[in-house]
Structures are given as C-alpha cells and as structure tokens.
Amino acid sequence: MKLKLVLAVAAMMASTAAPAATMADSIRADMPQLMTLYRDLHANPELSMQEVRTPALMAPKMRELGFQVAEHVGKTGLVAVMKNGPGPVLLLRADMDALPVREQTGLPFASHAMGKLPDGTETPVMHACGHDTHITTWLATARRLAAMKDQWSGTLVMILQPGEETGEGAKAMLDDGLFTRFPKPDYLLAFHDSASQPAGQIGISPGYALANVDSVDIDVRGVGGHGAYPQTTKDPIVLASRIVVALQTLVSRENSPFNPAVVTVGSFQGGAKHNIIPDNAKLQLTVRSYTPEVRRLLLDGIKRIARGEAIAAGVPDDRMPVVTVREAEFTPATFNTDDLSVRVLTLFQQHFGADRAVKTAPVMGGEDFSRYWLADKSKQSVIFWVGGVPKAKWDAAKGDTSKLPSLHSPFWAPEAETVISTATEAMTIAALDVLKKS
Ligand SMILES: [Zn+2]
Ligand SMILES: [Zn+2]
C-alpha cells in the first residue's frame, strides 16, 4: 500500500516535470544524428537558386515524419505541411543557400565544393552564413513537433527557402503560390545564427529588425581625352569623386538622425592608363534604410546629387550620369510584429532565463524573410537570432565583434551544436505556444 503510494507520487511528479525535461532530453538524444546531418550539409553547400541536393536530402526525412511534401516550389524550394486539427497555421522557414566563398575555417568537415555563378564563373562555395544550422534546426524542430502531436493543434507549414543571399528565394516561393497552393499562415517564424552574440544566447529585435537593401549603379559619363590636356575634356574621375563625397551628406545632412540609413560606395572603377582621361567611371552603391520614406529620400537624393554634380562640372546634357536602381535585387526591410515579438521574447526568457534571451538592437543587414509578412501584413511575424560565437572566443574578444569573424567571413565557424540545440528548443516551444490547444 505504502509502496504503491510512493510509486503513484513518483509517477505524478514525473508527469508534471515531464514536458520541459523531455523536450531538452529528446533534443540532446537527437544531437549526434543531427550533427552528422549538419556536417554533411556543411561539406556540400549549394549556391543560391541551385539548391538541388539539400531539398532532395530533406524531402524523404519530412515524409517519414508524416508531412505532406511538395518540392520545386519557387524553383528549388520545399514545402512540408502537417495538418493536426483545428487552430492557426504556423509557417517555419529555413533558408538553405550558401555563398561564393573559399572556406578557411580549417574544420575537418570544411567545404571543398565548387559552384558556378549565374555568369558562368567557377567559384568555391561555403555555408559562410550558417544556413546549414538553419536547415538542421528545421528538421530537428519538425521531429520534435511530429513526436509531440498530441500537445498542439493547428497546421504546420515548414518551408526550405532557396536563394536568400541573392534576395530571390522568398519572392520565387510566393510567386509560385506559397500562400495559395498551401495553407496560408497566420504566424511566421524563422531564426538566423548570429556572429554578434555568444553561442546559445537568443536575441530578438521588436519592430524593424533588418533593413531595406538597394543596389545602385551610377555610370558617370564625361568626355575623355589626353591626360596632358584636361581643358579639352570633362573628367569623369574627378566628377565621380565629387559625387562620392557629396553622397556622404545624404545621411549626415538630409536624413533625420533618428532614422537609420546607410549609403556605401563599394566600388569605384574608371580609366585604364596614367595619361588618359576616360570617357566614364562606374560606381556601385549599397543603400540601406528601414522605412519606405527614408528609402525614397536616399534613392531620389542619389539621382539628384549625381545630376547636380555633373551640371556643376559642365558635363553636356547628353552625357548626364545614368543612375540605375536594381529593383529586381531589392530586399525589403524585415519587420518583427509587436505582439509576437513580445510574446516570444517573454516565452524565451521564462524558458531559458533573462540572460540567455535578450532584446537586441536592429541591424542594417537584409533578409528576404520580410517578404512573407509584407505579402499580408495581418499576419504575425518574427525572426530571431541565435548566437554562434564559441564562448572562449567571445570572452577573449570581450564581446568586441570587430575582433571576431562576421557572417559571410571565410572563417565563420559557429558553435553549431549549441546553435542547433538552442534554436530547436526555441522554435519548438514557440510553435507549441502558437499552436497550443484551446
Ligand atoms: Zn548571408
Ligand atoms: Zn543568412
């Protein structure tokens, strides 16, 4: 009798303590398998919109878990749906492309892969943005949620997105009917590994989290001639130099200091020889902002300054600078909606502790995850960060990220095991919260 009571109490205690412990334990038990997958993905990266092996590898794994899988959505994207009773539709997204970077991490499973850029150039390829941690976490989360089907109700739409780095993938999936051919989500969730936070720390930026990204070309045209007779020319190198300097006033003088904005001239090319004044010089700019208004101010200002400086230099009307905003490459700003940001941050702080789940400052990087929310702003959307910098390196650099490899660096080697286990736990509890049984 007494023994039975003890057993009953023990069973009760086990059942009340079970959910949190079981999930962390299950993730830990999964890690060896997941790390094998991660190393395989890392060693076999694929360039944007050329992801063939990755979705082919993941599709059968998702089918095995009971998801309905559609491949080739938006060229190489994958959509896996699990309907599990009434409730909201939650979209979980992982991006899967790698970068034209020659890996220099020295890891035993470092990439030696080669790929071809759209212009046909051969290039080494590396998962230098850590999207391999995203793909692995995506599968790990699917496994947990499939195993815990009795604890949630609703529909899961899990997508593997191609071409994030080129800003093409989200658009391609949307254009291919992501929100019409498959259940339309009420909630959107994604994460990105972070080179600005210690491994295992989660960061959320409510509101604008990542920037509008525009690429702009300026063809500065002059009138070429002999370097010894500048009076017979209109020197495009001097003019382009003045444009570069004048562009600095867009952010410092025209834009409100309370509105984040960046204008960077990343490329300045012109001329071939010491004694020739060329016909033109070419500038390439990256332009960053959060709001549509600031974006407009910067893009209009660039056109005005280029033209104004050309007029001041006496360039003929038919040789005015040609400013091209590459609209096809535009990535809109990513907005974390207030309700879901606060809800998820609070949830993570309760689960992981306030030191492991923090509010982080927004960044001027870009993410085409933005497009899913922009396609229908009635949805709730959050992308969060999971720190990947190994603790020892973080401490040695005293948290000074200028001393650490950034995302896209050939040296970026996140502490993958910590990123994947933390992100899986975070994604799973967020999904369980959004899809909790009423
Ligand atoms: Zn990237
Ligand atoms: Zn990335």
Side-chain angles (χ1 to χ4, degrees), residues 37-383:
L37 171 70
Y38 167 74
R39 291 186 196 106
D40 178 65
L41 293 168
H42 189 84
N44 294 283
E46 296 174 295
L47 288 171
S48 304
M49 304 312 286
Q50 300 178 36
E51 309 89 339
V52 177
R53 182 183 182 273
T54 308
L57 190 70
M58 306 305 279
K61 294 183 196 294
M62 294 300 277
R63 286 196 182 98
E64 227 170 82
L65 292 173
F67 284 82
Q68 283 200 322
V69 176
E71 294 176 75
H72 312 293
V73 181
K75 198 171 175 196
T76 63
L78 183 149
V79 180
V81 178
M82 183 177 278
K83 290 183 179 161
N84 187 31
V89 179
L90 169 65
L91 180 143
L92 298 183
R93 172 270 212 171
D95 42 4
M96 56 178 171
D97 53 334
L99 287 155
V101 170
R102 186 186 298 280
E103 178 157 1
Q104 293 177 58
T105 59
L107 290 167
F109 52 92
S111 163
H112 302 287
M114 294 295 290
K116 243 186 203 162
L117 292 167
D119 67 2
T121 324
E122 289 264 347
T123 173
V125 187
M126 173 191 174
H127 264 302
C129 205
H131 296 180
D132 42 2
T133 63
H134 305 178
I135 306 162
T136 312
T137 297
W138 182 86
L139 179 72
T141 305
R143 289 170 67 125
R144 293 282 54 79
L145 291 171
M148 299 167 86
K149 265 180 96 165
D150 58 329
Q151 293 177 40
W152 57 275
S153 186
T155 300
L156 258 183
V157 179
M158 300 200 52
I159 66 166
L160 278 182
Q161 184 207 299
E164 186 281 324
E165 296 294 355
T166 53
E168 298 166 276
K171 187 170 187 306
M173 290 192 84
L174 287 165
D175 289 349
D176 200 6
L178 178 63
F179 288 173
T180 50
R181 288 164 54 199
F182 306 94
K184 194 173 174 189
D186 306 297
Y187 295 89
L188 308 161
L189 266 181
F191 92 98
H192 203 295
D193 68 315
S194 168
S196 311
Q197 284 180 267
Q201 188 189 61
I202 298 173
I204 297 186
S205 311
Y208 281 113
L210 293 119
N212 286 317
V213 180
D214 277 289
S215 298
V216 179
D217 297 321
I218 309 181
D219 184 7
V220 180
R221 303 182 300 171
V223 179
H226 198 297
Y229 313 104
Q231 73 278 16
T232 65
T233 72
K234 297 292 176 197
D235 187 340
I237 295 205
V238 174
L239 171 54
S241 304
R242 296 178 71 140
I243 292 172
V244 171
V245 174
L247 287 175
Q248 309 308 311
T249 62
L250 269 176
V251 173
S252 69
R253 306 289 84 185
E254 291 191 40
N255 180 55
S256 159
F258 297 99
N259 289 329
V262 176
V263 177
T264 292
V265 181
S267 169
F268 185 140
Q269 293 184 16
K273 210 175 176 322
H274 308 70
N275 60 356
I276 302 173
I277 292 169
D279 276 331
N280 66 341
K282 287 182 186 288
L283 303 175
Q284 294 186 325
L285 286 63
T286 188
V287 181
R288 313 270 170 139
S289 57
Y290 286 130
T291 65
E293 294 75 25
V294 174
R295 178 180 182 233
R296 206 18 64 219
L297 174 112
L298 298 176
L299 295 179
D300 289 349
I302 289 166
K303 288 177 194 162
R304 191 195 67 240
I305 285 172
R307 186 175 165 79
E309 289 295 338
I311 292 169
V315 169
D317 275 353
D318 62 345
R319 298 290 291 161
M320 284 293 123
V322 179
V323 179
T324 310
V325 178
R326 296 198 192 188
E327 290 287 351
E329 292 171 27
F330 169 58
T331 299
T334 305
F335 190 79
N336 284 335
T337 55
D338 295 336
D339 290 359
L340 193 62
S341 302
V342 172
R343 179 172 167 185
V344 170
L345 181 60
T346 309
L347 182 74
F348 290 170
Q349 285 177 333
Q350 284 165 353
H351 186 87
F352 294 100
D355 54 336
R356 265 190 81 191
V358 298
K359 209 168 164 178
T360 43
V363 294
M364 298 309 275
E367 239 299 345
D368 69 353
F369 180 66
S370 56
R371 289 197 181 274
Y372 302 115
W373 178 72
L374 287 169
D376 176 0
K377 291 186 184 175
S378 69
K379 294 183 290 273
Q380 292 281 320
S381 179
V382 163
I383 185 165

